[in-house]
Amino acid sequence: MDSLRFYVQTFGCQMNDHDSGVLARLLEEAGHLEVARPDEADLIVVNTCAIREKAEQKLFSQLGRYRLLKDRRPDLTIAVGGCVAQDAGRRLFRRAPYVDLVFGTHALQDVPDLVARVRRTGRRIAATPEEQDPERLEAFYAHHRARAVTAYVTVMQGCDNYCAYCIVPYVRGRELSRPADEVVAEVERLVAQGVAEVSLLGQNVNSYGLKPRGETDFPALVRRLARIPGLLRIRFTTSHPKDLSDDLIRCFGEVPALMPHIHLPLQSGSDRVLEAMRRRYTVGRYLSLVERLRQARPEIAITSDMIVGFPGETEEDFRATLEVMERVRFDGLFSFKFSPRPGTLAARLPEPVPEPVKEERLARLQALQQAHTLERNQALVGVVRPVLVEGPSKAGGGQVSGRTPENKIVNFPGDPAWVGREVDVRITAAAVNSLRGEVPAAPSVGPDHRPGGVACTFR
Ligand code: 5AD
Ligand code: SF4
């Protein structure tokens, strides 16, 4: 097939971001060339998100713009993948007839072939297999290449939890863990390419190794990865509070490479609402997890997800959420208005919360969280933290940017040669979204573990 210029656009979560990155490498290896703008492309790939209605609306207005490009250039191929594609399948052609290819969440590996077929035959294709083929999944992630100091690594796909509001189990399918040996091999490869930090991805990493039943559970996987020379930092997301194990909590105290940050979605501070959401834990259990995490690693940063306006949520339920926030004092919080998703249990529940009430609750919650985020960030002012330098700061001006172990962004004057290394930085100022820092005249800079670096111990 001819070499195509392709452009990839991503909506949604880190998993989608990561899949889009690997898909781009796969297309490159098939002889195509990535371009930075859609109007330069022969192939536009959109990786979609279905988690809330708003994401879907954004997708269709974006597709409308791509249609205008196609009106001018009929040989443009438009491919739509990801969660919306999995859910809609061929129905997507009805709403957007100018789309040429629909590929589901289990068809990533097939995209180069599907694109070739569409261009050869001029016929539309929808490929949305229900099940993931483990071997094809491995073949897909084999194309993962390091592009930065930090990298995502998918350890499991899908979700079997069926929280009442959530479309993920319907569009991402059943839980499937990758073999531990494959994950370890991928991380070793990435480290050899210069990666210093990996974030392990899964809808619920606590179920890692259960389906199919593997020899390794998630804490054991973390411990194995921590032994890889040159890998400085390990993170993971997401963890479901109902099955966060004692062993994983212990890892935070025992494994120095496991960074002191956990994303632990609470969703609501009312037991009544949590039950209706089918979350299968109570506020009491959540608070005890927070306490034990802080015992294991006092500096741990805790972030969370919260939904306001779940059907039946009263003012009293909502106040309970604010109270839990006051007690925990999250370092950061992603908060959303409940959005009914087709096919989910919650979409059929009575007592919807009116839109203006949802909006008002969201605003109150976000104002409180801003204060907490700022308070937690300000607590770091004056403290020295090791910062893994990721690159030049967006602010420019000779600044570099990196993250503390707690996953907070720090901008500080520094040397671009520090990229990929940990530098001790004194935090001098804190805002809601980032920190500022400085290094002493004789900075303490960690070894360069990257290939060709001064202290490359693993070759
Ligand atoms: N409406 C609003 N928020 C949702 N989330 C998932 N489904 C919905 C929905 N239907 C939120 C949850 C989840 C995060 C990724 O998105 O908080 O943790
Ligand atoms: Fe959705 Fe619940 Fe699974 Fe998270 S655990 S992906 S919220 S069903």
Side-chain angles (χ1 to χ4, degrees):
M1 184 179 45
D2 310 336
S3 169
L4 302 173
R5 287 162 301 172
F6 69 93
Y7 174 80
V8 183
Q9 184 181 19
T10 311
F11 293 90
C13 62
Q14 289 126 324
M15 205 167 262
N16 262 12
D17 251 351
H18 177 48
D19 284 345
S20 291
V22 180
L23 182 58
R25 303 292 78 73
L26 182 66
L27 285 165
E28 276 173 4
E29 277 163 42
H32 309 303
L33 180 73
E34 188 166 17
V35 292
R37 293 203 342 238
D39 56 357
E40 296 171 340
D42 313 302
L43 165 67
I44 294 177
V45 182
V46 190
N47 197 357
T48 65
C49 172
I51 195 109
R52 284 169 293 275
E53 205 179 349
K54 216 161 94 188
E56 267 196 67
Q57 285 163 355
K58 273 206 298 206
L59 162 71
F60 284 101
S61 58
Q62 184 63 64
L63 283 179
R65 287 193 282 275
Y66 292 153
R67 170 194 207 153
L68 299 179
L69 288 180
K70 189 156 174 155
D71 285 345
R72 291 210 306 268
R73 295 219 343 259
D75 65 331
L76 173 67
T77 300
I78 301 179
V80 178
C83 293
V84 176
Q86 181 71 31
D87 194 37
R90 295 202 77 81
R91 271 185 293 126
L92 209 137
F93 292 139
R94 262 187 262 153
R95 182 146 176 209
Y98 44 90
V99 168
D100 303 283
L101 170 63
V102 172
F103 62 96
T105 49
H106 302 141
L108 287 161
Q109 169 71 13
D110 303 325
V111 171
D113 291 344
L114 292 167
V115 168
R117 249 170 64 201
V118 164
R119 291 192 64 102
R120 198 173 58 238
T121 63
R123 293 178 54 180
R124 297 189 301 209
I125 300 178
T128 53
E130 285 293 317
E131 295 284 324
Q132 181 66 266
D133 174 342
E135 278 175 26
R136 295 188 71 71
L137 186 65
E138 289 312 320
F140 178 70
Y141 287 119
H143 295 273
H144 188 189
R145 299 276 171 281
R147 306 200 96 194
V149 169
T150 63
Y152 293 123
V153 173
T154 299
V155 299
M156 59 180 300
Q157 278 207 332
C159 182
D160 289 354
N161 284 311
Y162 291 95
C163 300
Y165 49 81
C166 188
I167 200 168
V168 166
Y170 304 94
V171 290
R172 293 250 168 198
R174 301 286 55 76
E175 278 177 10
L176 176 68
S177 295
R178 295 179 58 200
D181 287 346
E182 302 279 357
V183 173
V184 172
E186 181 172 332
V187 174
E188 282 172 342
R189 260 194 335 265
L190 291 167
V191 171
Q193 291 166 13
V195 163
E197 172 182 302
V198 292
S199 295
L200 309 175
L201 295 180
Q203 303 294 346
N204 177 16
V205 295
N206 298 315
S207 316
Y208 176 80
L210 295 179
K211 292 169 192 169
R213 189 166 285 283
E215 74 285 14
T216 303
D217 62 8
F218 189 66
L221 179 69
V222 167
R223 289 191 161 93
R224 254 184 93 177
L225 293 172
R227 291 198 294 270
I228 297 177
L231 180 63
L232 301 184
R233 297 181 163 197
I234 301 170
R235 304 182 183 280
F236 62 80
T237 193
T238 293
S239 186
H240 194 309
K242 82 175 156 55
D243 37 30
L244 172 58
S245 67
D246 293 343
D247 197 15
L248 190 55
I249 294 175
R250 269 198 304 278
C251 283
F252 279 106
E254 295 170 4
V255 182
L258 181 61
M259 289 294 104
H261 168 224
I262 187 166
H263 185 67
L264 196 63
L266 173 59
Q267 312 297 4
S268 166
S270 152
D271 281 341
R272 220 176 57 79
V273 174
L274 286 176
E275 196 177 333
M277 287 177 164
R278 306 230 159 162
R279 289 289 285 176
R280 292 180 281 167
Y281 54 82
T282 60
V283 171
R285 149 109 180 147
Y286 188 93
L287 291 173
S288 106
L289 289 173
V290 167
E291 198 181 308
R292 282 150 58 206
L293 284 161
R294 285 182 171 154
Q295 267 161 15
R297 192 86 164 251
E299 75 273 32
I300 196 164
I302 302 177
T303 57
S304 198
D305 291 346
M306 214 76 88
I307 296 176
V308 301
F310 188 80
E313 183 190 69
T314 62
E315 173 66 21
E316 196 185 332
D317 292 319
F318 175 66
R319 286 216 188 115
T321 297
L322 299 182
E323 268 163 44
V324 178
M325 288 169 60
E326 292 280 11
R327 288 183 65 175
V328 175
R329 304 189 107 76
F330 292 108
D331 290 81
L333 189 68
F334 298 101
S335 48
F336 313 100
K337 290 183 287 182
F338 169 72
S339 165
R341 303 314 290 134
T344 62
L345 199 69
R348 297 194 300 270
L349 288 177
E351 301 179 74
V353 175
E355 194 58 29
V357 177
K358 283 189 201 168
E359 263 159 32
E360 184 251 358
R361 287 183 188 165
L362 187 69
R364 277 156 73 197
L365 182 148
Q366 290 182 341
L368 181 64
Q369 184 54 45
Q370 284 239 338
H372 290 169
T373 304
L374 192 59
E375 173 193 285
R376 294 283 297 167
N377 288 355
Q378 277 168 345
L380 286 171
V381 173
V383 176
V384 174
R385 301 302 287 142
V387 172
L388 176 63
V389 181
E390 294 178 18
S393 159
K394 283 192 205 116
Q399 303 245 334
V400 293
S401 181
R403 284 171 194 265
T404 68
E406 301 79 13
N407 210 28
K408 309 212 182 219
I409 296 171
V410 190
N411 296 305
F412 61 101
D415 185 340
W418 295 345
V419 171
R421 304 201 231 174
E422 279 185 336
V423 181
D424 281 343
V425 178
R426 178 182 302 282
I427 308 303
T428 53
V432 171
N433 294 318
S434 65
L435 309 172
R436 270 193 286 173
E438 62 185 21
V439 290
S444 164
V445 181
D448 188 351
H449 292 275
R450 290 172 305 158
V454 287
C456 190
T457 52
F458 54 88
R459 284 193 300 191

